[in-house]
Amino acid sequence: MPGAPGSLVGAPPRGSPVTADRVRAFAADALAPSSGPRRVGVESEWFVVRAAGQPPADPATPDAPTPADDVLAVDCLRRSVPTRLPCGSTVSFEPGGQIELSSAPEPLPDCLRHTAGDLATLRHSLATAGLDLAGLGLDPLRPPVRRLDLPRYAAMSEYFGAGPGRTMMCSTAGLQVNLDTGGNGGGELPARPAERAVSVAARWRLAHQLGPVLVAAFAASPLRRGEVTGWRSTRQWIWAVVDPGRTRPALELADDPVEAWARYIMAARVMLLTEPDGACLAVRDGSTFGDWVAGRGPATRLPTEADLACHATTLFPPVRPRGWLEIRYLDALPAALWQVPVTVLAALLDDPAAADAALDVTAPLASHWVQAARLGPADPDLRRAGLECFRLAAAALPRLGAGGSAVTAVESFAARYLEAARCPADDLLDMAALDGPAGLLAPEALSVAAPHPQAPHTHTRSPDGRPAGGARGPLDSDAQEVIR
């Protein structure tokens, strides 16, 4: 029968078959201790929009904020931007045409400065084509359309089918922060605070525990297809439900990070097989990588090292180890705000005193992903923990050589949003109430200093976090049973 285990031949063997022990060794390599000064990397995704003052692509829809499909085509965008920028960042594209700017790993102050410089250069290059960038976690208006025609993305599309998988690929944008793994091996948390704060196990745990707190603080995706969804971070909801076996937190599987990641790799379903000519075959029989290792997988051959490496790149947990920690749970934010979550994460993980305190502050909220995505800082526990984490981060920054403007940015964000039980999503909702969803795709929609004073606040929450009037957002159905 089509799709049954063993029905796909796949690529010929490329090395010896991998075993469960080899998978664990692969996981250990991904979480190997790091040495030397702490470094930070940023991967920011952006939606391409028509620059301010540019005429609409279609005169019949003068309110459309985006260019025509031929302008949005990735090959056209590639002609408008360099692939490498002066401060070391690289430019790539996501399946829906989102632009990704990936910085070089550097100490925090250098990373912030150089990434900001390269972002300015990128926007200047786009301006020559009448284009600009908008930073938020989910396209609030346009339907998901795959614009990047690569074999990998074609196989991913076939694997996911219609629904949230297509939206995840083509309509979401994230802010990924990359941090070093830590100063010593995995296993249990050391007892002494000074050691606990810098261990691989502690950094792995803290990166996860911070997830709900920071998802709430930086949520910026409350609309989809022109409708209020009822979630402050709809992007987080979409990523959580698209394929939970490859998007849930790995921390749930074991206390030891190496064991947790090895189990995660084995338990996740195989998404695709690669062919010698570069083609990719989607796998839809439900077999896991562990099944394949045991001889019950999607191909007549056993998986090899190349298959293991490929499979790991198709796993999208909130924190993914790759020789460093990829922190993947943040919504994209505009140029006025994106540096704040990068700064907060680096301060909390890299300063031993802040890390030790944050481990205790965030422990009771480690599983509150649903509340964070739905309510943001309106959840009182997440708000209190967020305020304390921001305080810890601000105090740590001078010890990391990043005082001054970095401290001001962290404290200003906390005052503007957390102290008011708000997040960037609330600004977006205010703007949509005034200008409609298309206004959110205007360049730098969130660059204003404060919410519009005349905003009608039609999105005011009821006690359970839904919009006023008891309306359920279109993505609300049984979502709490799906996000874990």
Side-chain angles (χ1 to χ4, degrees):
M1 129 178 124
S7 64
L8 294 176
V9 175
R14 289 161 290 177
S16 302
V18 298
T19 63
D21 287 342
R22 178 62 196 118
V23 171
R24 197 178 193 287
F26 179 90
D29 289 342
L31 285 152
S34 55
S35 59
R38 293 281 186 250
R39 298 180 302 167
V40 183
V42 178
E43 298 179 32
S44 59
E45 296 171 351
W46 304 83
F47 295 110
V48 180
V49 298
R50 184 165 294 280
Q54 291 293 313
D58 183 357
T61 56
D63 294 331
T66 58
D69 284 352
D70 59 342
V71 178
L72 265 178
V74 172
D75 59 351
C76 179
L77 288 175
R78 284 185 173 133
R79 292 195 294 271
S80 302
V81 299
T83 57
R84 183 172 290 277
L85 294 166
C87 295
S89 301
T90 58
V91 176
S92 59
F93 297 89
E94 293 299 303
Q98 310 97 309
I99 285 184
E100 180 177 293
L101 181 72
S102 301
S103 79
E106 298 180 285
L108 176 63
D110 296 332
C111 176
L112 295 176
R113 182 174 65 255
H114 292 157
T115 304
D118 280 344
L119 178 60
T121 300
L122 173 61
R123 294 181 66 193
H124 179 76
S125 297
L126 286 169
T128 62
L131 303 174
D132 206 335
L133 301 176
L136 65 166
L138 178 67
D139 193 306
L141 185 63
R142 300 174 290 188
V145 177
R146 184 163 62 88
R147 304 183 187 280
L148 201 59
D149 189 20
L150 296 177
R152 174 184 171 90
Y153 292 138
M156 287 180 67
S157 295
E158 184 179 348
Y159 172 85
F160 286 125
R166 180 184 301 169
T167 301
M168 178 272 284
M169 292 177 64
C170 302
S171 296
T172 64
L175 176 64
Q176 180 175 303
V177 183
N178 300 326
L179 298 168
D180 292 318
T181 54
N184 54 37
E188 298 295 328
L189 296 182
R192 293 178 56 195
E195 295 176 357
R196 183 174 78 148
V198 298
S199 71
V200 173
R203 289 170 68 81
W204 168 259
R205 178 169 292 278
L206 180 56
H208 282 89
Q209 288 183 186
L210 283 168
V213 173
L214 298 187
V215 165
F218 298 110
S221 51
L223 286 91
R224 176 178 179 268
R225 302 295 295 271
E227 300 288 340
V228 174
T229 65
W231 297 78
R232 287 311 182 266
S233 179
T234 312
R235 173 187 172 274
Q236 173 63 27
W237 182 91
I238 290 169
W239 277 84
V241 302
V242 68
D243 187 358
R246 64 182 358 98
T247 61
R248 65 177 174 173
L251 183 67
E252 298 174 353
L253 300 184
D255 289 333
D256 176 10
V258 171
E259 182 64 23
W261 188 231
R263 292 184 186 179
Y264 198 98
I265 291 170
M266 294 287 274
R269 292 186 295 169
V270 180
M271 175 184 282
L272 54 86
L273 299 176
T274 58
E275 294 286 279
D277 61 359
C280 294
L281 302 174
V283 176
R284 302 195 67 184
D285 65 2
S287 57
T288 68
F289 197 79
D291 292 334
W292 196 5
V293 169
R296 302 185 302 272
T300 55
R301 60 178 180 80
L302 293 173
T304 65
E305 195 81 19
D307 295 311
L308 171 58
C310 177
H311 175 65
T313 67
T314 71
L315 306 180
F316 311 116
V319 180
R320 183 170 69 177
R322 296 186 64 189
W324 60 91
L325 299 181
E326 292 181 344
I327 298 175
R328 305 171 54 88
Y329 44 68
L330 295 169
D331 283 355
L333 293 170
L337 298 176
W338 70 263
Q339 296 189 49
V340 179
V342 178
T343 301
V344 169
L345 274 164
L348 292 177
L349 269 78
D350 287 349
D351 181 76
D356 189 60
L359 276 166
D360 294 331
V361 169
T362 57
L365 303 170
S367 63
H368 288 211
W369 296 92
V370 172
Q371 297 93 320
R374 182 186 292 282
L375 299 176
D379 179 283
D381 294 331
L382 289 166
R383 175 176 171 270
R384 282 192 293 269
L387 284 168
E388 179 61 15
C389 285
F390 272 62
R391 186 192 67 78
L392 291 168
L397 285 168
R399 298 193 291 267
L400 298 172
S405 61
V407 173
T408 299
V410 170
E411 292 177 338
S412 297
F413 188 99
R416 174 181 171 181
Y417 291 109
L418 293 177
E419 290 179 8
R422 290 175 65 91
C423 58
D426 291 295
D427 287 359
L428 292 169
L429 288 164
D430 287 342
M431 293 174 195
L434 287 169
D435 303 322
L440 307 189
L441 286 174
E444 295 310 296
L446 286 179
S447 63
V448 294
H452 197 292
Q454 278 75 50
H457 297 287
T458 56
H459 62 279
T460 302
R461 303 175 186 86
S462 60
D464 65 356
R466 298 188 182 114
R472 292 173 67 90
L475 300 184
D476 221 9
S477 175
D478 296 326
Q480 292 198 40
E481 296 301 318
V482 181
I483 302 181
R484 295 175 173 83

